[in-house]
Amino acid sequence: MSKLSNRHVFTSESVSEGHPDKVCDQISDAILDACLLQDSEAHVACETAVGSNLVINIGEISCANWDAINPKAITREVIRDIGYDRSDEGFSYDTFNYVNALHGQSVDIAQGVNREGAESQGAGDQGMMFGYASNATAQFMPAPIVYAHGLLQFFTALRKNGEIPYLRPDSKAQVSVLHEAGVAKEITAVVISHQTGDVPIETIRADLEENARAFLKDTGLVTANTGFYINPTGRFVIGGPCGDSGVTGRKIIVDTYGGVGSHGGGAFSGKDPSKVDRSAAYYCRYVAKNIVAAGLADKCEIQVAYAIGVAKPMSINVSTYGTGKIAEDKIEKILMSNEIFDFRPGMLIKELALKTPRGWSYRKSSNYGHFGRDGFPWEETDRAEALRSAAGVK
């Protein structure tokens, strides 16, 4: 059960697009985007690893016209866009060593997925996926992760427009929020660790705290007691893949709800939508958000489970943490009727148009959270009215 009635502090973390793990997520998703442009039926499970002056692509890809795709060139473009452009830092888009170990998808996996008709398409793997939503913020997300993501997006903009010229791409932010009866009351602590040039720590701390306060001012939650901890070790010059290695899919809590709710364990980036680790988690978020938007609950978590090669889910579970306006089993019956939502992999992929992104890309989803941002089909609340009608709620 969620801590609805007691006073507690909850903390969530975000990492920037220059964090080594996020560099990997973006490369893997950029390759996925390129594959889907060539072949909407492509099967992609692309992993990336980075280290000092090194990028490795491994995994399984089956894509028509694969010869038209240049993973190395895509990788260099992503790294340049992030801002790693100085060879003297030990990792730069124009100097890194590249290893390509990608190969075709296993036929054993493909036979469970490659079926004619969306109705019969099987899940690309077994497992359970979760989606969560709450009315705590306008984004239907928990407050700590919203503020942590927002801070890093703000500092990325300051870095790229040159307003703070000594900032470099790698950074983390952590925001602690005091809650009472489930409502955010105060930001108690903000931690920012940002890679910089060789600049006096006093300058860095003054600049970053000033800008962090300015960004968070409109929340109304910063008080005289809010603690700001900027580059606590005193120096963060060596960063990015030169400072630490990175791997695709290692920031699954950053990608979802900042530790609120549950997580099935599967990562998102580099996977085409036949992998329910990604597509079903998106769909569960879509369903949970519509339930909250419909006013059926203040908080909602959806769990769905699959068997590889089987279209029908093994189970669908609903939890409203005691905030439901109607019984949870009634919501479950609505979901399992397939009249408003259809959890079969082929159908949910079709419903959200996950094979043919328009106006969005998988790479765009890989930074600052896959949820709580406009422009993605799983963030729409277009089923709220249908849910209210089915539930008999005005």
Side-chain angles (χ1 to χ4, degrees):
M1 295 292 290
S2 179
K3 298 176 180 178
L4 291 173
S5 59
N6 59 333
R7 179 182 170 94
H8 69 282
V9 175
F10 197 90
T11 301
S12 293
E13 178 195 51
S14 181
V15 298
S16 71
E17 61 193 59
H19 185 281
D21 294 330
K22 278 294 151 195
V23 172
C24 295
D25 286 347
Q26 290 169 88
I27 293 169
S28 294
D29 271 344
I31 292 172
L32 168 61
D33 286 328
C35 289
L36 290 177
L37 282 174
Q38 293 292 330
D39 176 11
S40 64
E41 300 300 321
H43 291 311
V44 180
C46 179
E47 308 286 346
T48 305
V50 297
S52 182
N53 209 35
L54 175 67
V55 178
I56 303 171
N57 280 139
I58 56 176
E60 303 176 339
I61 296 180
S62 295
C63 175
N65 204 21
W66 170 249
D67 290 342
I69 297 171
N70 186 337
K72 183 177 181 179
I74 292 170
T75 298
R76 292 199 187 280
E77 181 181 352
V78 169
I79 293 171
R80 179 173 59 182
D81 183 57
I82 292 170
Y84 285 114
D85 52 7
R86 301 178 187 175
S87 59
D88 61 331
E89 291 182 342
F91 187 81
S92 178
Y93 77 94
D94 55 349
T95 60
F96 67 79
N97 297 310
Y98 180 73
V99 177
N100 183 346
L102 297 165
H103 59 84
Q105 185 185 45
S106 162
V107 295
D108 293 345
I109 294 175
Q111 69 181 352
V113 177
N114 295 340
R115 295 176 181 168
E116 291 190 13
E119 296 87 353
S120 60
Q121 178 179 327
D125 202 353
Q126 71 177 50
M128 64 281 189
M129 298 84 213
F130 291 87
Y132 177 87
S134 80
N135 58 13
T137 63
Q139 296 86 349
F140 291 84
M141 292 284 286
I145 192 66
V146 169
Y147 302 146
H149 285 323
L151 267 175
L152 290 187
Q153 287 179 285
F154 181 64
F155 279 110
T156 295
L158 295 178
R159 171 175 64 86
K160 289 189 171 183
N161 68 22
E163 192 165 336
I164 304 182
Y166 57 77
L167 293 182
R168 299 300 293 142
D170 191 3
S171 60
K172 290 183 175 183
Q174 186 173 288
V175 179
S176 302
V177 179
L178 171 67
H179 294 76
E180 292 180 355
V183 178
K185 293 294 186 180
E186 177 186 338
I187 294 174
T188 59
V190 176
V191 181
I192 300 171
S193 294
H194 209 304
Q195 182 190 13
T196 69
D198 195 3
V199 176
I201 187 62
E202 295 79 12
T203 300
I204 295 167
R205 286 174 174 164
D207 288 348
L208 270 60
E209 180 174 338
E210 178 184 358
N211 281 280
R213 285 184 178 275
F215 174 79
L216 294 170
K217 181 180 179 181
D218 289 344
T219 67
L221 301 178
V222 177
T223 73
N225 296 321
T226 301
F228 285 82
Y229 304 86
I230 312 296
N231 285 16
T233 67
R235 180 179 171 85
F236 184 12
V237 173
I238 300 172
C242 186
D244 194 6
S245 60
V247 181
T248 300
R250 201 156 58 178
K251 288 292 178 284
I252 58 176
I253 302 304
V254 171
D255 285 345
T256 52
Y257 309 102
V260 175
S262 305
H263 197 296
F268 299 155
S269 290
K271 298 177 180 178
D272 76 84
S274 72
K275 280 71 173 175
V276 285
D277 276 349
R278 183 173 213 161
S279 56
Y282 286 177
Y283 200 68
C284 286
R285 161 66 176 175
Y286 177 54
V287 175
K289 186 174 181 179
N290 274 270
I291 288 170
V292 175
L296 303 188
D298 295 333
K299 297 184 180 183
C300 183
E301 181 176 272
I302 305 293
Q303 186 210 50
V304 63
Y306 294 94
I308 188 169
V310 179
K312 184 180 178 181
M314 300 295 101
S315 65
I316 299 172
N317 182 68
V318 177
S319 175
T320 59
Y321 299 91
T323 71
K325 306 304 184 283
I326 64 173
E328 291 173 351
D329 61 351
K330 185 173 182 179
I331 299 176
E332 287 177 11
K333 288 178 182 178
I334 294 171
L335 300 186
M336 297 180 75
S337 71
N338 288 351
E339 293 178 4
I340 302 176
F341 300 103
D342 193 332
F343 283 84
R344 287 176 293 177
M347 298 304 290
L348 67 87
I349 290 168
K350 182 178 179 180
E351 189 175 330
L352 297 180
L354 296 179
K355 292 181 180 179
T356 53
R358 295 290 184 269
W360 61 278
S361 69
Y362 284 103
R363 184 190 164 190
K364 286 181 181 178
S365 75
S366 63
N367 287 322
Y368 311 113
H370 292 246
F371 308 124
R373 296 191 290 140
D374 294 337
F376 300 109
W378 53 88
E379 291 297 318
E380 298 295 327
T381 55
D382 52 349
R383 303 297 170 88
E385 186 58 42
L387 280 167
R388 281 192 288 268
S389 178
V393 174
K394 294 183 180 180

